[in-house]
Amino acid sequence: METAVIKTPIGYAEFKGDAHGLISVKVLDEALETKIPAALQEAAQQIEAYFNGSRNTFDLKLNPQGTAFQKKVWQALLKIPFGTTTSYLELSKTLGDVKAIRAVAAANGKNPLWIVIPCHRVIGSNGELTGYAGGLSRKKWLLDHESPVKQGKLF
């Protein structure tokens, strides 16, 4: 397995993968940038393009490790369009079991491919930001970055 680290506006993105696909992406507060191995060049380019605003979807071979249920939830997350959000309740309904809301939320929290599998696009039913493994400030940044309406600062 190969590992690479690049600097992003929300911290250092550490990603791991091999010929079978991208296994994990997470954002760290501190790290050292590394040379990008050949197996991760495309992932690095697409992640950088996402952060500079020139990409809103990813076209990468993914190989996240998890249970069958987690993978089902992660597949549903991939269908949430850029610039939109959904709630845990709506995601549970999409998956066919409204009573599975806690299990869906838990699977969302175990997503190993932050940003690429857009778990940050899931919010509370009341529209509030709820848990994000990378912290709510990063979740807010990502949602603002993806928002079709850019609000300038007044002062």
Side-chain angles (χ1 to χ4, degrees), residues 71-123:
K71 289 179 180 181
K72 183 178 174 183
V73 172
W74 301 337
Q75 283 298 311
L77 293 173
L78 287 168
K79 296 176 183 168
I80 304 169
F82 182 90
T84 66
T85 58
T86 193
S87 69
Y88 293 101
L89 179 60
E90 288 303 315
L91 192 55
S92 317
K93 288 178 183 177
T94 298
L95 292 166
D97 187 357
V98 86
K99 294 179 183 176
I101 190 168
R102 289 179 194 250
V104 167
N108 190 58
K110 297 282 187 187
N111 171 20
L113 288 164
W114 299 3
I115 303 162
V116 177
I117 296 178
C119 56
H120 60 276
R121 296 180 189 155
V122 183
I123 60 175

